């Protein structure tokens, strides 16, 4: 199948790769975009400092030194064209066929997606993603991640790792290599993360992420909506036993304070 700016997709071959993938449906594609277009995107990526002014910087235990830019009005032109390509009817239809999920829908607001940049010292712990988009009233079903890192070395880390449902066995590890893409079905068992990034500060780990949804819940939907859920890797004993529980306590306390403030505001408003 030929889609402008994209290298040819053999949908039957990709569907077979997805169906036979271990653990949960996923795929890996090299030379995803036309090379000239991929180079334009690579050259258009903002520096870490520039991206920090455009988006959100994460500095929590589970997600550190990562910047996320979701506002497409701030994208340089080549990256905006990538956004349009991945949201196009032709590509979304191809994703539906590859993943065997009818009726996929793109998110124009790129909630949680868009430009992702992680600098040296950053990481993203193993997690499953939020499963429902409250703004769109849609169910999250598929992720695709495209990488724009040239001459990326193994010692730089930043690999995407996929895990089994109990986060005991690694299903696959993928380098964030230039013009490669990884996609997978998001579910309650699609555990994945990014290993610690140790590249030179000026290098950065650069990617673009898009998530797709459906109007109907997945077949195994249990009716429980949740935000991102994290787990420690088997080797991360201290993080699993101490750091993550502490982070969760702090987060719960902040949520409780926020809820209390909202309740007081509502009460005062009702009394006025």
């Amino acid at each position: 199948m030929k889609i402008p700016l994209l290298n040819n997709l053999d949908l039957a071959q990709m569907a077979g790769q997805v169906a036979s993938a271990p653990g949960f449906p996923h795929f890996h594609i090299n030379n995803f975009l036309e090379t000239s277009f991929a180079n334009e995107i690579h050259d258009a990526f903002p520096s870490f400092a520039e991206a920090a002014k455009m988006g959100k910087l994460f500095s929590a235990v589970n997600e550190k030194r990562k910047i996320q830019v979701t506002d497409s009005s701030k994208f340089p032109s080549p990256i905006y064209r990538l956004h349009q390509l991945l949201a196009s009817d032709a590509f979304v239809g191809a994703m539906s066929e590859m993943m065997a999920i009818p009726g996929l829908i793109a998110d124009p607001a790129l909630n949680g997606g868009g430009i992702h940049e992680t600098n040296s010292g950053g990481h993203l712990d193993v997690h499953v993603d939020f499963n429902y988009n409250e703004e769109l009233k849609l169910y999250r079903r598929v992720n695709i991640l495209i990488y724009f890192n040239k001459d990326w070395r193994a010692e730089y880390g930043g690999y995407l790792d996929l895990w089994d449902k109990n986060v005991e066995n690694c299903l696959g590890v993928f380098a964030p290599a230039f013009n490669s893409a990884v996609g997978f079905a998001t579910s309650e068992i699609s555990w994945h993360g990014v290993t610690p990034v140790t590249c030179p500060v000026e290098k950065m780990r650069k990617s673009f992420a898009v998530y797709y949804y459906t109007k109907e819940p997945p077949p195994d939907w249990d009716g429980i909506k949740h935000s991102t859920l994290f787990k420690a890797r088997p080797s991360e004993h201290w993080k699993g036993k101490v750091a993550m529980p502490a982070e969760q306590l702090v987060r719960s306390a902040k949520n409780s304070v926020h809820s209390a403030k909202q309740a007081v505001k509502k009460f005062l408003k009702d009394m006025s």
Side-chain angles (χ1 to χ4, degrees):
M1 180 180 187
K2 180 58 181 173
I3 299 173
L5 301 177
L6 196 69
N7 280 323
N8 286 330
L9 274 179
D10 185 333
L11 294 183
Q13 188 273 332
M14 293 307 304
Q17 184 185 149
V18 168
S20 62
F24 54 88
H26 62 270
F27 65 81
H28 174 256
I29 304 175
N30 287 316
N31 300 314
F32 178 64
L33 303 168
E34 291 181 353
T35 303
S36 59
F37 183 42
N39 279 319
E40 285 184 56
I41 295 168
H42 171 273
D43 295 344
F45 255 79
S47 70
F48 196 77
E50 290 168 341
K53 297 175 183 177
M54 298 161 60
K56 177 181 179 181
L57 173 65
F58 292 83
S59 57
V61 167
N62 300 128
E63 196 168 8
K64 189 175 181 181
R65 290 190 63 74
K66 170 187 166 183
I67 292 172
Q68 171 185 292
V69 184
T70 60
D71 184 352
S72 61
S73 69
K74 298 178 181 179
F75 293 170
S77 178
I79 299 178
Y80 185 78
R81 288 163 63 206
L82 175 64
H83 165 49
Q84 290 180 308
L85 166 64
L86 299 177
S88 68
D89 290 343
F91 185 77
V92 176
M95 286 294 288
S96 280
E97 187 171 341
M98 286 165 51
M99 302 302 296
I101 302 176
L104 286 179
I105 300 168
D107 173 16
L110 291 170
N111 187 353
I115 295 171
H116 288 179
E117 294 189 12
T118 306
N119 213 330
S120 184
H123 66 270
L124 174 58
D125 288 335
V126 173
H127 63 283
V128 289
D129 297 301
F130 67 85
N131 60 2
Y132 187 75
N133 188 313
E134 291 287 355
E135 292 181 13
L136 298 177
K137 306 301 180 188
L138 297 174
Y139 299 87
R140 185 164 170 179
R141 303 298 302 277
V142 175
N143 290 6
I144 185 168
L145 313 165
I146 304 100
Y147 300 103
F148 296 96
N149 307 288
K150 294 185 176 182
D151 303 318
W152 193 262
R153 300 178 182 178
E155 60 264 32
Y156 292 168
Y159 280 54
L160 174 72
D161 52 354
L162 308 182
W163 292 81
D164 65 7
K165 63 181 181 180
N166 297 315
V167 192
E168 294 175 347
N169 301 293
C170 187
L171 303 172
V173 180
F174 302 96
F178 176 70
N179 201 15
S180 66
V182 177
F184 54 90
T186 54
S187 68
E188 302 311 299
I189 63 167
S190 59
W191 294 96
H192 60 285
V194 176
T195 63
V197 177
T198 55
C199 63
V201 173
E202 69 277 4
K203 190 81 177 174
M204 293 186 306
R205 181 188 189 272
K206 297 173 286 189
S207 63
F208 193 86
V210 174
Y211 312 136
Y212 299 98
Y213 300 83
T214 56
K215 292 180 180 179
E216 300 298 325
D220 57 352
W221 172 250
D222 61 7
I224 300 174
K225 303 172 187 176
H226 64 72
S227 58
T228 305
L229 304 175
F230 289 93
K231 275 190 178 182
R233 295 176 178 86
S235 61
E236 297 172 330
H237 302 295
W238 182 84
K239 182 173 284 186
K241 297 293 185 182
V242 180
M244 284 186 175
E247 174 92 351
Q248 185 58 45
L249 283 173
V250 171
R251 197 172 290 165
S252 297
K254 287 181 178 178
N255 289 340
S256 296
V257 170
H258 177 74
S259 297
K261 287 181 177 178
Q262 293 301 112
V264 170
K265 287 181 180 178
K266 184 178 184 303
F267 174 77
L268 294 174
K269 183 178 179 180
D270 292 343
M271 292 295 290
S272 62

